């Protein structure tokens, strides 16, 4: 037992002497590399550029109507030149200018989804297992003036009309196609896949 106490005291003494050597706080040291970053270049003076734009003429109204003119032709006997003088009739008045017609019949804006992507709609008219039937219907509808496309989905070839940003226009088109071609379609949200 004396040897055990002596051994334990030697271990404690060694720990008291050696631990301060290991626990000095010097541990891991970062390597400090010298940096060779050049100085920033001098900032150039700002140049003020003013745009040289001219306003375009107003095209919201039709140009002035041309007044019918009377031509007076006089020929000089000494030369072969023909002089044409245009004289407007004094009793004619200029007709009032009209506004251009509005191109869009419907001023409603397209709806946006959660990702601010416009919502478009398409009308699925038919599904065929035979691609030639889908092509024939597509050709028939294109001949009637409709925007038509086909897509292959698994073993089916689907024929679509559209897309259109307004669902109500497709609903009217659906009724027209039902009466003209006997096709009752389904309106889906348009996707590019």
């Amino acid at each position: 037992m004396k040897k055990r106490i002596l051994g334990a005291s030697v271990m404690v003494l060694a720990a008291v002497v050696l631990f301060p050597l290991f626990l000095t706080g010097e541990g891991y040291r970062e390597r400090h590399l010298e940096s060779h970053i050049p100085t920033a270049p001098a900032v150039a003076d700002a140049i003020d550029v003013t745009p040289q734009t001219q306003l375009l003429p107003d095209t919201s109204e039709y140009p002035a109507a041309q007044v019918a003119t009377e031509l007076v032709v006089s020929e000089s006997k000494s030369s072969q030149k023909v002089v044409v003088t245009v004289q407007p009739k004094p009793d004619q008045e200029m007709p009032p200018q009209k506004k251009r017609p509005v191109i869009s019949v419907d001023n409603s804006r397209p709806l946006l989804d959660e990702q601010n992507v416009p919502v478009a709609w398409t009308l699925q008219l038919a599904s065929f297992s035979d691609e030639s039937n889908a092509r024939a219907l597509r050709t028939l509808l294109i001949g009637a003036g409709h925007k038509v496309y086909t897509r292959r989905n698994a073993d089916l070839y689907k024929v679509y009309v559209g897309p259109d940003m307004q669902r109500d226009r497709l609903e009217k088109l659906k009724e027209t196609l039902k009466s003209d071609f006997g096709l009752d379609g389904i309106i889906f949200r348009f996707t590019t896949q």
Side-chain angles (χ1 to χ4, degrees):
M1 170 103 146
K2 263 183 169 182
K3 291 184 181 180
R4 285 186 184 176
I5 293 177
L6 183 63
S9 61
V10 169
M11 290 299 282
V12 169
L13 184 63
V16 169
V17 171
L18 294 177
F19 270 130
L21 293 176
F22 292 117
L23 300 177
T24 60
E26 292 178 2
Y28 173 76
R29 291 188 184 190
E30 269 187 49
R31 289 177 39 191
H32 293 287
L33 300 175
E34 204 173 308
S35 64
H36 298 287
I37 300 173
T39 59
V43 178
D45 293 335
I47 299 172
D48 185 26
V49 178
T50 56
Q52 301 287 333
T53 59
Q54 296 177 356
L55 294 176
L56 295 175
D58 183 20
T59 58
S60 64
E61 298 193 12
Y62 287 117
Q66 295 287 331
V67 177
T69 58
E70 180 180 308
L71 295 178
V72 177
V73 179
S74 63
E75 289 188 28
S76 173
K77 292 182 180 178
S78 63
S79 66
Q80 296 296 332
K81 293 183 181 178
V82 176
V83 178
V84 178
T85 308
V86 178
Q87 298 173 348
K89 293 182 181 179
D91 58 340
Q92 288 185 344
E93 294 181 13
M94 302 268 294
Q97 294 180 356
K98 298 178 182 176
K99 289 278 190 184
R100 290 183 186 246
V102 178
I103 294 173
S104 175
V105 177
D106 189 1
N107 290 332
S108 61
R109 297 181 63 155
L111 299 174
L112 301 177
D113 65 1
E114 310 82 40
Q115 300 167 344
N116 286 333
V117 175
V119 176
W121 303 95
T122 189
L123 175 64
Q124 178 186 334
L125 284 179
S127 296
F128 297 101
S129 59
D130 187 16
E131 184 179 8
S132 62
N133 291 340
R135 284 185 188 168
L137 179 61
R138 180 175 161 252
T139 305
L140 178 69
L141 291 170
I142 288 174
H146 299 289
K147 296 187 299 183
V148 184
Y149 64 98
T150 59
R151 287 192 178 158
R152 183 176 181 193
N153 187 0
D155 294 335
L156 295 176
Y157 296 91
K158 297 183 178 186
V159 180
Y160 296 92
V161 174
D164 200 331
M165 302 304 273
Q166 303 298 328
R167 184 181 174 112
D168 57 341
R169 280 190 270 186
L170 274 181
E171 289 172 359
K172 291 175 188 173
L173 180 63
K174 177 182 171 182
E175 294 302 319
T176 305
L177 291 173
K178 187 174 183 180
S179 65
D180 292 348
F181 297 99
L183 298 170
D184 191 17
I186 304 169
I187 297 177
F188 289 106
R189 175 146 181 220
F190 176 74
T191 60
T192 57
Q193 293 137 0

Short mmCIF file of all heavy atoms in Angstrom, two decimals, residues 3-27:
data_model
loop_
_atom_site.label_atom_id
_atom_site.label_comp_id
_atom_site.label_asym_id
_atom_site.label_seq_id
_atom_site.Cartn_x
_atom_site.Cartn_y
_atom_site.Cartn_z
N LYS A 3 3.58 1.57 -1.58
CA LYS A 3 4.03 1.77 -2.95
C LYS A 3 2.92 2.44 -3.79
O LYS A 3 3.20 3.25 -4.65
CB LYS A 3 4.41 0.43 -3.57
CG LYS A 3 5.67 -0.13 -2.95
CD LYS A 3 6.04 -1.40 -3.65
CE LYS A 3 7.29 -1.98 -3.02
NZ LYS A 3 7.70 -3.19 -3.64
N ARG A 4 1.71 2.08 -3.48
CA ARG A 4 0.60 2.68 -4.23
C ARG A 4 0.48 4.17 -3.91
O ARG A 4 0.25 4.99 -4.80
CB ARG A 4 -0.72 1.99 -3.89
CG ARG A 4 -0.81 0.64 -4.55
CD ARG A 4 -2.16 0.06 -4.32
NE ARG A 4 -2.22 -1.28 -4.86
CZ ARG A 4 -3.23 -2.08 -4.76
NH1 ARG A 4 -4.31 -1.69 -4.09
NH2 ARG A 4 -3.20 -3.27 -5.27
N ILE A 5 0.60 4.52 -2.66
CA ILE A 5 0.50 5.92 -2.26
C ILE A 5 1.68 6.69 -2.84
O ILE A 5 1.51 7.82 -3.33
CB ILE A 5 0.47 6.05 -0.72
CG1 ILE A 5 -0.82 5.46 -0.21
CG2 ILE A 5 0.58 7.51 -0.31
CD1 ILE A 5 -0.94 5.45 1.29
N LEU A 6 2.84 6.10 -2.83
CA LEU A 6 4.03 6.73 -3.39
C LEU A 6 3.85 6.93 -4.91
O LEU A 6 4.16 7.99 -5.45
CB LEU A 6 5.27 5.87 -3.10
CG LEU A 6 6.60 6.46 -3.59
CD1 LEU A 6 6.90 7.76 -2.89
CD2 LEU A 6 7.70 5.46 -3.39
N GLY A 7 3.32 5.94 -5.60
CA GLY A 7 3.09 6.04 -7.05
C GLY A 7 2.05 7.11 -7.38
O GLY A 7 2.20 7.87 -8.34
N ALA A 8 0.98 7.17 -6.57
CA ALA A 8 -0.07 8.17 -6.80
C ALA A 8 0.48 9.56 -6.56
O ALA A 8 0.16 10.50 -7.31
CB ALA A 8 -1.26 7.89 -5.89
N SER A 9 1.32 9.73 -5.52
CA SER A 9 1.86 11.06 -5.25
C SER A 9 2.83 11.48 -6.35
O SER A 9 2.89 12.66 -6.71
CB SER A 9 2.52 11.09 -3.87
OG SER A 9 3.58 10.16 -3.84
N VAL A 10 3.61 10.55 -6.90
CA VAL A 10 4.51 10.88 -8.02
C VAL A 10 3.69 11.30 -9.25
O VAL A 10 4.03 12.26 -9.95
CB VAL A 10 5.42 9.68 -8.33
CG1 VAL A 10 6.17 9.88 -9.64
CG2 VAL A 10 6.41 9.45 -7.21
N MET A 11 2.59 10.63 -9.51
CA MET A 11 1.73 10.97 -10.65
C MET A 11 1.11 12.36 -10.47
O MET A 11 1.04 13.13 -11.42
CB MET A 11 0.62 9.92 -10.80
CG MET A 11 1.11 8.57 -11.26
SD MET A 11 1.90 8.61 -12.85
CE MET A 11 0.50 8.70 -13.91
N VAL A 12 0.66 12.67 -9.23
CA VAL A 12 0.07 13.97 -8.98
C VAL A 12 1.12 15.06 -9.15
O VAL A 12 0.85 16.11 -9.74
CB VAL A 12 -0.58 14.02 -7.58
CG1 VAL A 12 -0.97 15.43 -7.20
CG2 VAL A 12 -1.78 13.10 -7.52
N LEU A 13 2.34 14.83 -8.63
CA LEU A 13 3.42 15.78 -8.75
C LEU A 13 3.80 16.01 -10.22
O LEU A 13 4.01 17.14 -10.66
CB LEU A 13 4.63 15.30 -7.94
CG LEU A 13 5.82 16.24 -7.90
CD1 LEU A 13 5.44 17.54 -7.21
CD2 LEU A 13 6.98 15.60 -7.21
N ALA A 14 3.87 14.94 -10.99
CA ALA A 14 4.19 15.06 -12.42
C ALA A 14 3.08 15.84 -13.14
O ALA A 14 3.36 16.67 -14.02
CB ALA A 14 4.36 13.68 -13.03
N ALA A 15 1.82 15.59 -12.78
CA ALA A 15 0.71 16.31 -13.41
C ALA A 15 0.77 17.79 -13.08
O ALA A 15 0.53 18.64 -13.95
CB ALA A 15 -0.63 15.71 -12.96
N VAL A 16 1.11 18.12 -11.79
CA VAL A 16 1.19 19.52 -11.39
C VAL A 16 2.32 20.22 -12.15
O VAL A 16 2.20 21.38 -12.53
CB VAL A 16 1.38 19.63 -9.86
CG1 VAL A 16 1.74 21.04 -9.43
CG2 VAL A 16 0.16 19.15 -9.14
N VAL A 17 3.40 19.55 -12.43
CA VAL A 17 4.53 20.16 -13.12
C VAL A 17 4.29 20.22 -14.63
O VAL A 17 4.58 21.22 -15.29
CB VAL A 17 5.84 19.38 -12.80
CG1 VAL A 17 6.99 19.85 -13.66
CG2 VAL A 17 6.20 19.51 -11.34
N LEU A 18 3.73 19.13 -15.23
CA LEU A 18 3.63 19.06 -16.68
C LEU A 18 2.38 19.75 -17.26
O LEU A 18 2.42 20.25 -18.38
CB LEU A 18 3.66 17.60 -17.14
CG LEU A 18 4.98 16.87 -16.88
CD1 LEU A 18 4.87 15.43 -17.30
CD2 LEU A 18 6.12 17.55 -17.63
N PHE A 19 1.24 19.75 -16.54
CA PHE A 19 0.02 20.35 -17.08
C PHE A 19 0.19 21.83 -17.40
O PHE A 19 -0.27 22.27 -18.47
CB PHE A 19 -1.16 20.15 -16.12
CG PHE A 19 -1.92 18.88 -16.40
CD1 PHE A 19 -2.21 18.01 -15.38
CD2 PHE A 19 -2.38 18.57 -17.68
CE1 PHE A 19 -2.90 16.84 -15.62
CE2 PHE A 19 -3.08 17.41 -17.92
CZ PHE A 19 -3.35 16.53 -16.90
N PRO A 20 0.84 22.62 -16.57
CA PRO A 20 1.01 24.02 -16.94
C PRO A 20 1.83 24.20 -18.23
O PRO A 20 1.64 25.17 -18.97
CB PRO A 20 1.73 24.64 -15.77
CG PRO A 20 1.39 23.79 -14.62
CD PRO A 20 1.22 22.41 -15.18
N LEU A 21 2.71 23.25 -18.53
CA LEU A 21 3.47 23.36 -19.77
C LEU A 21 2.57 23.16 -21.00
O LEU A 21 2.76 23.80 -22.03
CB LEU A 21 4.61 22.31 -19.77
CG LEU A 21 5.72 22.52 -18.75
CD1 LEU A 21 6.72 21.36 -18.82
CD2 LEU A 21 6.45 23.82 -19.00
N PHE A 22 1.60 22.24 -20.89
CA PHE A 22 0.70 21.95 -22.03
C PHE A 22 -0.45 22.95 -22.12
O PHE A 22 -0.98 23.20 -23.19
CB PHE A 22 0.12 20.54 -21.91
CG PHE A 22 1.16 19.48 -22.10
CD1 PHE A 22 1.46 18.60 -21.08
CD2 PHE A 22 1.85 19.35 -23.30
CE1 PHE A 22 2.40 17.61 -21.25
CE2 PHE A 22 2.80 18.36 -23.47
CZ PHE A 22 3.08 17.48 -22.44
N LEU A 23 -0.87 23.52 -21.00
CA LEU A 23 -2.02 24.41 -20.98
C LEU A 23 -1.61 25.87 -20.89
O LEU A 23 -2.15 26.65 -20.13
CB LEU A 23 -2.93 24.05 -19.80
CG LEU A 23 -3.48 22.62 -19.81
CD1 LEU A 23 -4.29 22.38 -18.56
CD2 LEU A 23 -4.31 22.36 -21.05
N THR A 24 -0.68 26.26 -21.72
CA THR A 24 -0.22 27.64 -21.70
C THR A 24 -1.12 28.57 -22.51
O THR A 24 -0.98 29.78 -22.47
CB THR A 24 1.21 27.75 -22.27
OG1 THR A 24 1.19 27.27 -23.62
CG2 THR A 24 2.18 26.98 -21.44
N GLY A 25 -2.02 28.01 -23.33
CA GLY A 25 -2.90 28.82 -24.18
C GLY A 25 -2.28 29.14 -25.52
O GLY A 25 -2.85 29.87 -26.33
N GLU A 26 -1.11 28.59 -25.78
CA GLU A 26 -0.46 28.85 -27.06
C GLU A 26 -1.05 27.99 -28.17
O GLU A 26 -1.00 28.35 -29.31
CB GLU A 26 1.05 28.62 -26.94
CG GLU A 26 1.70 29.65 -26.05
CD GLU A 26 3.17 29.39 -25.90
OE1 GLU A 26 3.68 28.44 -26.53
OE2 GLU A 26 3.81 30.14 -25.17
N GLY A 27 -1.63 26.88 -27.89
CA GLY A 27 -2.33 25.99 -28.80
C GLY A 27 -2.11 26.25 -30.28
O GLY A 27 -1.03 26.55 -30.73
#
